[in-house]
């Protein structure tokens, strides 16, 4: 569905049907996906400029233009990137695309099981005695229970040394009406991956233990924008973003 919203070609009829149903329910779905992906690019560039050379991308999805390793390797060709997704088709496509670069891996694992993720073959090549950037971009809505989601980010935080980072984006109501949020949650409840929209206060709880890089938790287009976003761009993104540094 996400690949379809981004204009990608790695999607099937069943995905397109669900994505169109998603657009009926939530006309901002495309704006959300595009703003999210643009944040990912800006956050990875920021992190690479801070000297981060290890990335753990949770729920990396079907590889599409501007993948994390492409952005990171523009800054540092020796950066290590471990992708993780639980969706076998996304993982198979990623494997086929990632060819032979030993610095870039993809593991099939469920992010709700941090122990399994951390011992997956690709992830275990990360040197956790040095700073790591954990990317939880458009993934935490798939962990609807708030206690489970906070425990999850805490588990990844504990695996990382101070100086590590957590990047988060999360769907949240801005321009969407209450009816659109309910309808969008209903569409996703019919897929294998139900989601929950969170208000900013609940998203902030997921970043516990991290010092937020200015400007903090803000609508996705407002985080280190290339150009100042319009009010309309901000509202249509229906998501918040933050980058936290482990202290
Ligand atoms: C909206 S896409 C986001 C992709 C990418 N992070 C980005 O922002 O461009 C969400 C991805 O998370 C994956 N996903 C959902 N729940 C997951 C879970 N429990 N464990 C691992 N991956 C999961 C889905 O298969 C999908 O590829």
């Amino acid at each position: 569905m996400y690949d379809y919203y981004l204009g990608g070609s790695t999607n099937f009829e069943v995905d397109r049907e669900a994505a169109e149903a998603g657009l009926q329910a939530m006309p901002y779905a495309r704006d959300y996906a595009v703003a999210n992906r643009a944040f990912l690019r800006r956050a990875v560039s920021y992190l690479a400029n801070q000297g981060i050379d290890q990335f753990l991308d949770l729920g990396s999805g079907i590889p599409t233009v501007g993948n994390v390793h492409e952005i990171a390797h523009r800054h540092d060709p020796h950066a290590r990137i471990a992708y993780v997704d639980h969706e076998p088709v996304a993982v198979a496509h990623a494997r086929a695309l990632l060819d032979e670069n030993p610095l870039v891996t993809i593991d099939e694992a469920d992010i709700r099981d941090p122990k399994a993720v951390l011992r997956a073959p690709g992830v275990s090549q990360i040197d956790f005695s040095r700073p790591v950037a954990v990317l939880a971009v458009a993934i935490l809505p798939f962990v609807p229970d708030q206690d489970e989601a906070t425990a999850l980010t805490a588990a990844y935080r504990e695996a990382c040394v101070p100086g590590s980072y957590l990047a988060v984006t999360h769907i949240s109501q801005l321009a969407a009406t209450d009816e659109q949020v309910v309808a969008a949650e209903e569409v996703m409840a019919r897929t294998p991956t139900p989601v929950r929209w969170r208000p900013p206060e609940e998203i902030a709880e997921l970043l516990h233990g991290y010092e937020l890089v200015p400007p903090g938790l803000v609508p996705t287009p407002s985080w280190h924008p290339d150009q100042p976003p319009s009010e309309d761009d901000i509202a249509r993104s229906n998501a918040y973003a933050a980058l936290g540094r482990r202290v």
Side-chain angles (χ1 to χ4, degrees), residues 171-233:
I171 198 158
S172 192
Q173 188 175 5
L174 288 165
T177 63
D178 292 349
E179 291 73 25
Q180 286 169 335
V181 173
V182 170
E185 284 183 340
E186 278 172 6
V187 166
M188 292 308 288
R190 295 200 291 273
T191 74
T193 51
V195 296
R196 163 182 174 147
W197 291 48
R198 285 187 169 89
E201 312 78 65
E202 288 185 15
I203 303 169
E205 286 175 17
L206 308 179
L207 285 144
H208 180 74
Y210 288 92
E211 197 172 77
L212 298 193
V213 170
L217 181 66
V218 291
T220 307
S222 304
W223 195 91
H224 292 236
D226 299 328
Q227 314 278 341
S230 69
E231 289 300 315
D232 194 45
D233 286 342

Side-chain angles (χ1 to χ4, degrees), residues 52-203:
I52 294 289
D53 63 357
Q54 307 191 92
F55 294 84
L56 169 55
D57 189 2
L58 301 173
S60 45
I62 298 222
T64 181
V65 179
N67 291 302
V68 171
H69 70 280
E70 292 164 339
I71 305 160
H73 282 170
R74 249 178 253 148
H75 296 262
D76 177 359
H78 302 294
R80 178 173 287 287
I81 294 91
Y83 291 115
V84 174
D85 205 284
H86 72 161
E87 216 282 307
V89 176
V91 172
H93 272 281
R95 272 214 180 105
L97 282 173
L98 296 176
D99 51 45
E100 300 296 301
N101 189 339
L103 292 168
V104 187
T105 60
I106 170 94
D107 290 306
E108 185 178 329
D110 190 325
I111 66 137
R112 287 168 299 184
D113 185 351
K115 282 196 185 125
V117 167
L118 293 168
R119 65 169 180 257
V123 179
S124 57
Q125 289 177 42
I126 289 179
D127 177 0
F128 281 92
S129 70
R130 295 198 301 112
V132 180
V134 176
L135 310 176
V137 176
I139 177 74
L140 295 171
F142 295 103
V143 187
D145 183 84
Q146 183 69 0
D147 290 342
E148 185 185 359
T150 36
L152 193 62
T153 51
Y156 289 105
R157 184 189 69 228
E158 287 310 309
C160 296
V161 294
S164 296
Y165 288 86
L166 175 67
V168 169
T169 66
H170 202 296
I171 198 158
S172 192
Q173 188 175 5
L174 288 165
T177 63
D178 292 349
E179 291 73 25
Q180 286 169 335
V181 173
V182 170
E185 284 183 340
E186 278 172 6
V187 166
M188 292 308 288
R190 295 200 291 273
T191 74
T193 51
V195 296
R196 163 182 174 147
W197 291 48
R198 285 187 169 89
E201 312 78 65
E202 288 185 15
I203 303 169

